[in-house]
Amino acid sequence: MTNQIKIAVIGIGRWGVHLLRIFLAHPQVSVVAVVDPHAERLAAAKQQFNLDENILLATEWEALQQLPELTAVVIATPATTHYALIKDALKQGYHVLAEKPLTLDTAECLELCQLAEQQHLILMVDHTYLFHPAVEQGQGVVQAGQLGDLRYGYATRTHLGPVRQDVDALWDLAIHDIAIFNNWLGQVPVKVQATGTVWLQGQGSIGSKELTQSVSGLADLVWVTLTYPDNFQAYIHLCWLNPDKQRRLVVVGSHGSLIFDEMSPSSPLTLLHGEFEHQGNQFLPVNQRREVLTIKPGEPLQRVCDRFIVSMIENTPPNISSGWVGTELVKILSGLTASLNQGGQPVFFD
């Protein structure tokens, strides 16, 4: 199959340019087209990557129809455009790797997943963190019971920008931590709650069509609570208006805490051992020690792209980040949007 998988990259903005870089270097891929509505981006990419003259550079998606041997498309465009592009691509017989979120509407996600199955095509969502070596190893630690009885979890994802104008901080940031919690726990929430604050953009709309937020605008700060079937609760702090950049997620158990700290390149995954010993009427900390876990090397996005290629070659759905996984995450985000709009009222899932 070497050099036989012909791929088009749609959208080469901040994230799409990295996908283009990886697929251009992939030994089993031939990038045959790059599409972006901004001609200056196409020109910059051509110069940056010294693109072959045979690669089609186009500002319109429809230009791909002149490429009969195209196998797959990689979609890294704004989330509001995903549904129409992915549906069209699947109908034309292309496998699809789409940037997260799959769409902004649960019903649309379900339709796309069903269409992909009907067409016998791969639909994969780029939930990059699920391919991070630290997240992969963390799942093993949690599910092996090394933390003892799980108590609760918390995560913080803050930075000073970038401020989105199409979605709020919830839709922009929360999907990463929700995906990791779901992956580590092997469960999905049965109840969600969210509250938020708007400072910068007082008008706008977010979420699915039926859950549009237009009165209070786009929330810059969001607090999320996820409740899982076993009553484990995870709390997430999201803000794009905070210079204290954090990318940190923790699961706490009766025997210790597992910390994934992306801002600590020397020790991104740490296991803090420690528990209580009951002596009389006191609880005394015992067995305390810090263990930095060694993780495998590897660029998460490279692993995403590799999995997409393997899925096409072997015709096996990428279960870790399939369209169905993406749909579940959009369902959770839609529930959180409903809660946010209702001042933090809980939203329950069957």
Side-chain angles (χ1 to χ4, degrees):
M1 292 287 294
T2 302
N3 296 323
Q4 295 302 305
I5 300 178
K6 292 181 168 49
I7 283 179
V9 178
I10 319 298
I12 50 170
R14 185 170 60 93
W15 195 247
V17 73
H18 293 296
L19 288 160
L20 176 61
R21 165 181 60 84
I22 289 171
F23 280 118
L24 282 170
H26 202 290
Q28 294 169 292
V29 169
S30 175
V31 175
V32 296
V34 181
V35 181
D36 194 285
H38 302 92
E40 65 273 15
R41 286 183 183 171
L42 295 171
K46 183 174 183 178
Q47 182 176 11
Q48 178 182 352
F49 298 110
N50 191 26
L51 297 180
D52 189 281
E53 293 296 330
N54 292 326
I55 295 178
L56 173 67
L57 302 180
T59 56
E60 299 290 339
W61 153 257
E62 289 74 17
L64 297 183
Q65 294 176 2
Q66 61 185 277
L67 300 172
E69 297 182 358
L70 187 62
T71 302
V73 296
V74 178
I75 296 175
T77 59
T80 52
T81 68
H82 284 189
Y83 172 69
L85 284 174
I86 296 171
K87 183 176 181 179
D88 197 17
L90 292 172
K91 283 188 171 182
Q92 293 187 46
Y94 306 142
H95 300 286
V96 176
L97 170 62
E99 189 180 7
K100 61 81 186 171
L102 180 54
T103 77
L104 298 176
D105 182 89
T106 308
E108 290 179 349
C109 291
L110 288 169
E111 180 187 343
L112 294 176
C113 289
Q114 292 164 355
L115 179 59
E117 288 192 349
Q118 291 167 6
Q119 298 284 83
H120 304 290
L121 295 168
I122 299 299
L123 173 58
M124 179 173 173
V125 186
D126 174 19
H127 291 297
T128 312
Y129 279 95
L130 297 182
F131 293 83
H132 195 296
V135 172
E136 185 178 80
Q137 185 165 344
Q139 181 193 44
V141 170
V142 173
Q143 297 193 359
Q146 294 186 45
L147 300 180
D149 296 330
L150 300 184
R151 304 296 198 202
Y152 74 104
Y154 57 94
T156 301
R157 190 167 294 269
T158 61
H159 196 21
L160 194 61
V163 177
R164 298 277 294 269
Q165 295 181 331
D166 55 339
V167 294
D168 64 354
L170 172 67
W171 280 82
D172 183 35
L173 303 174
I175 197 167
H176 304 300
D177 298 306
I178 298 170
I180 296 171
F181 278 124
N182 289 359
N183 179 266
W184 281 11
L185 299 171
Q187 305 178 68
V188 295
V190 293
K191 181 176 74 172
V192 300
Q193 294 171 268
T195 58
T197 303
V198 178
W199 288 296
L200 299 180
Q201 300 175 94
Q203 296 295 326
S205 61
I206 60 174
S208 59
K209 291 179 226 175
E210 70 273 15
L211 297 173
T212 297
Q213 177 179 342
S214 58
V215 178
S216 57
L218 301 179
D220 306 295
L221 167 67
V222 179
W223 301 93
V224 166
T225 302
L226 310 173
T227 303
Y228 289 83
D230 59 0
N231 289 321
F232 179 94
Q233 288 192 312
Y235 307 91
I236 307 175
H237 168 204
L238 309 160
C239 188
W240 57 31
L241 205 137
N242 186 342
D244 177 24
K245 184 175 182 179
Q246 293 194 54
R247 298 284 187 272
R248 196 168 185 268
L249 182 145
V250 183
V251 170
V252 180
S254 59
H255 294 162
S257 296
L258 182 64
I259 303 169
F260 172 42
D261 188 350
E262 193 181 355
M263 303 308 297
S264 178
S266 61
S267 54
L269 192 65
T270 303
L271 181 55
L272 295 181
H273 298 270
E275 54 194 298
F276 280 121
E277 188 174 273
H278 196 186
Q279 296 184 8
N281 62 351
Q282 293 185 316
F283 294 90
L284 302 179
V286 295
N287 302 326
Q288 292 179 277
R289 62 186 176 90
R290 180 174 183 265
E291 180 183 359
V292 176
L293 302 180
T294 302
I295 62 173
K296 302 174 186 175
E299 180 185 1
L301 188 59
Q302 174 74 61
R303 299 179 75 197
V304 171
C305 297
D306 288 343
R307 186 65 184 90
F308 182 52
I309 299 303
V310 169
S311 292
M312 287 189 288
I313 293 173
E314 298 182 353
N315 193 29
T316 56
N319 293 329
I320 189 175
S321 194
S322 66
W324 295 107
V325 171
T327 298
E328 187 65 52
L329 288 166
V330 169
K331 176 183 174 182
I332 294 167
L333 287 170
S334 295
L336 286 165
T337 296
S339 177
L340 188 65
N341 290 342
Q342 297 163 19
Q345 289 294 312
V347 172
F348 296 87
F349 301 124
D350 295 331

